[in-house]
Amino acid sequence: MKYYNLKDSSEKVDFAAATIKGQGKEKGLFFPDHIPHFEQEFINNLSQYSDHEIAYRCMKDFTSSEIPPEILQEIVQETISFEIPLKKISDRISILELFHGPTLAFKDIGARFMSRCLSYFLKDQHQNVTVLVATSGDTGGAVAHGFYNLPGIDVVILYPKSRVSPVQEKQLTALGGNISALEVNGSFDDCQDLVKQAFSDMEINKSLFLTSANSINVARWLPQQIYYLLALKQWQQSESSDPVIAVPSGNFGNICAGLLAHFRGLPAEHFIAACNQNDPVPDYLQTQDFKPRKSVSTLSNAMDVGDPSNFVRILELFGHQFTLLQKKISGFSIDDSQTMETITEVYNKYGYMLEPHSAVAFASLNLYLQKNQDKKGFILGTAHPVKFPDAVEKSTAIQVEIPESLRALMKKEKKTVEINSDFEELKRFLLHKN
Ligand SMILES: *Cc1c(COP(=O)(O)O)cnc(C)c1O
């Protein structure tokens, strides 16, 4: 498989180069040069395949000969090493729980797959590789755990001091080993600026082999298709119609992976882009006019994105045909008060505890199903309620139970280096960290 740059299709790279580079010239995203189809027999009989076999078949065309079969088998086994159950909430709405991984959010899946691919591609490097990443919360933890203890790789994570939740902070800072956490006196945007400066600094690049673990990396984006197949495998056991799939969306990588799987033959009645008040895509689906904007803060903060990077991949997938796109995807924008109401209602009615991101998806799917009485569907549960205890406890008046894995983590000590939002301080750290 080759991947071309969406900003300049003459730039074509293989999977290894796309993984190591992350993005192409002019910050263009890479996109597969053809869409490999699933065999009908495979899709009709998912229950006869193990989860690992499904994951392997899903990914093999994208990594082609660059990752040998036995290595890819190992990688998918380490990626899908926790349960991903599809649970019924109500008669017509189920939830795919993607939050049983090490950092309790769906980003674990992409981060684990990518880290192992990168580690494989760089195994013959004699120099250590430094993964440099800025985070507003969830990405950092997933990357830290995904890369923890991988030989030949150091990770440096920048996060804004006092602006991540206590659980998120522990997930970033308590591992130690090859993971360093820099606590920046500044905002997430400051962190991102510092990282960008480091990537263009000659002196740093001369002494360190820097790479990113950005969410637009194909090795993080593509494996997200796997769990749509795992959902369908479970769906087929009790339902005969195709599901409506609602995805809590921010940067639109997750839903775009589901759409890609659909183009490859995964049956889905319809997709729902569930957004908070950051809603340029739902607007676009109404008006055909895409207007990126500054993001606003909401309860579902991992979706506070005003200019979603993966939107261009969705357009490409649909061949820029608006009518096709509009037929397959509906967009909804759910505000914070509707989010809180949904958490309360779903808990009172069904005894199921949602967190804000999944609640946005539930509310969206519910609105869609009210107008489409003969349909059923599921939402993607992207995070565990314990990651957002304030909103959940306020809505339900119930304390969120802390999973065992997290209790151990919360007892660990936070290890960080504090820096100001000053590039010279970051540079000094990077050049002298070893
Ligand atoms: C990152 C994130 C999202 C948004 O996913 P995208 O792929 O960026 O659309 C939704 N929910 C949670 C909990 C997240 O961490």
Side-chain angles (χ1 to χ4, degrees):
M1 176 74 75
K2 290 275 188 252
Y3 297 83
Y4 61 93
N5 180 342
L6 286 176
K7 285 239 174 95
D8 174 2
S9 57
S10 69
E11 183 184 4
K12 280 200 173 192
V13 296
D14 59 16
F15 183 69
T19 300
I20 296 166
K21 280 175 189 260
Q23 55 189 5
K25 289 176 208 148
E26 295 171 59
K27 300 195 185 129
L29 272 63
F30 288 119
F31 196 84
D33 74 350
H34 66 278
I35 308 291
H37 283 266
F38 296 125
E39 282 165 36
Q40 198 58 46
E41 182 277 333
F42 171 62
I43 289 294
N44 292 346
N45 300 293
L46 285 171
S47 65
Q48 290 169 27
Y49 294 87
S50 71
D51 289 0
H52 290 148
E53 182 63 21
I54 290 172
Y56 175 79
R57 286 182 173 237
C58 178
M59 295 310 295
K60 70 177 168 39
D61 293 325
F62 292 97
T63 58
S64 41
S65 56
E66 293 158 65
I67 299 182
E70 66 283 6
I71 302 286
L72 183 61
Q73 291 279 9
E74 253 175 61
I75 292 177
V76 297
Q77 275 183 27
E78 288 178 22
T79 302
I80 311 291
S81 59
F82 41 86
E83 56 163 354
I84 303 182
L86 182 71
K87 291 189 180 161
K88 244 184 157 55
I89 296 180
S90 71
D91 236 12
R92 294 171 68 203
I93 300 186
S94 301
I95 179 168
L96 185 70
E97 293 185 347
L98 291 165
F99 48 73
H100 298 291
T103 71
L104 310 174
F106 81 103
K107 289 191 175 73
D108 279 327
I109 293 150
R112 285 163 87 81
F113 187 86
M114 178 188 162
S115 62
R116 278 140 185 93
C117 291
L118 195 60
S119 171
Y120 176 74
F121 292 137
L122 299 172
K123 65 183 180 338
D124 300 324
Q125 280 283 333
H126 37 267
Q127 187 187 7
N128 259 29
V129 175
T130 302
V131 174
L132 185 64
V133 67
T135 183
S136 59
D138 269 354
T139 295
V143 167
H145 281 75
F147 286 84
Y148 183 52
N149 271 343
L150 289 186
I153 298 184
D154 296 325
V155 177
V156 178
I157 299 169
L158 280 72
Y159 74 97
K161 184 179 165 70
S162 315
R163 300 200 197 179
V164 301
S165 79
V167 172
Q168 287 174 327
E169 183 167 50
K170 277 287 161 74
Q171 290 176 336
L172 289 174
T173 59
L175 286 174
N178 62 332
I179 314 293
S180 311
L182 296 185
E183 200 173 353
V184 178
N185 279 310
S187 65
F188 168 63
D189 291 329
D190 295 331
C191 296
Q192 219 163 13
D193 285 344
L194 290 172
V195 165
K196 282 188 193 147
Q197 286 183 65
F199 275 102
S200 53
D201 185 90
M202 300 252 284
E203 209 181 329
I204 293 176
N205 283 281
K206 231 194 290 174
S207 74
L208 294 177
F209 181 170
L210 278 190
T211 184
S212 166
N214 204 295
S215 68
I216 57 180
N217 194 300
V218 291
R220 261 188 77 181
W221 172 50
L222 294 169
Q224 300 180 104
Q225 295 173 87
I226 297 169
Y227 44 72
Y228 288 88
L229 289 165
L230 300 182
L232 195 73
K233 171 181 171 178
Q234 299 172 72
W235 180 263
Q236 285 170 342
Q237 278 159 18
S238 59
E239 304 290 343
S240 49
S241 63
D242 294 345
V244 178
I245 304 175
V247 187
S249 294
N251 233 341
F252 279 72
N254 196 3
I255 194 170
C256 186
L259 289 163
L260 174 61
H262 178 59
F263 273 76
R264 298 175 69 194
L266 175 106
E269 168 65 31
H270 198 68
F271 280 85
I272 290 177
C275 297
N276 57 30
Q277 277 166 292
N278 297 284
D279 56 359
V281 175
D283 260 9
Y284 166 81
L285 290 165
Q286 296 288 329
T287 61
Q288 203 175 341
D289 188 12
F290 183 65
K291 287 199 293 275
R293 46 190 96 135
K294 250 190 142 53
S295 65
V296 296
S297 289
T298 73
L299 288 174
S300 43
N301 61 16
M303 313 196 313
D304 294 348
V305 181
D307 185 5
S309 330
N310 283 287
F311 181 64
V312 288
R313 281 188 172 135
I314 295 181
L315 293 181
E316 190 75 2
L317 201 52
F318 281 88
H320 297 263
Q321 296 185 69
F322 181 73
T323 36
L324 286 185
L325 212 154
Q326 205 184 25
K327 224 192 249 167
K328 198 68 242 177
I329 314 174
S330 299
F332 289 89
S333 169
I334 305 293
D335 67 22
D336 278 354
S337 67
Q338 290 170 287
T339 304
M340 294 285 275
E341 270 166 35
T342 305
I343 296 175
T344 310
E345 260 177 47
V346 169
Y347 187 76
N348 290 340
K349 233 167 144 178
Y350 309 112
Y352 191 92
M353 201 178 266
L354 292 168
E355 53 73 45
H357 305 76
S358 316
V360 166
F362 188 98
S364 302
L365 181 55
N366 204 31
L367 288 171
Y368 181 84
L369 293 181
Q370 277 168 14
K371 290 210 175 122
N372 295 273
Q373 284 294 337
D374 55 331
K375 303 201 167 120
K376 292 182 175 185
F378 62 83
I379 64 173
L380 298 199
T382 47
H384 193 290
V386 81
K387 284 196 103 167
F388 303 93
D390 294 351
V392 175
E393 284 167 15
K394 215 160 115 196
S395 307
T396 60
I398 301 278
Q399 262 220 312
V400 190
E401 204 179 313
I402 298 182
E404 189 51 49
S405 60
L406 195 59
R407 236 173 283 160
L409 178 74
M410 294 309 278
K411 283 194 204 123
K412 286 197 181 166
E413 200 188 327
K414 148 181 164 184
K415 289 174 237 124
T416 65
V417 173
E418 208 173 313
I419 65 168
N420 290 308
S421 172
D422 171 1
F423 179 59
E424 290 309 316
E425 290 191 32
L426 173 62
K427 187 162 169 173
R428 215 172 306 141
F429 175 83
L430 289 173
L431 294 177
H432 301 288
K433 71 185 168 62
N434 291 320

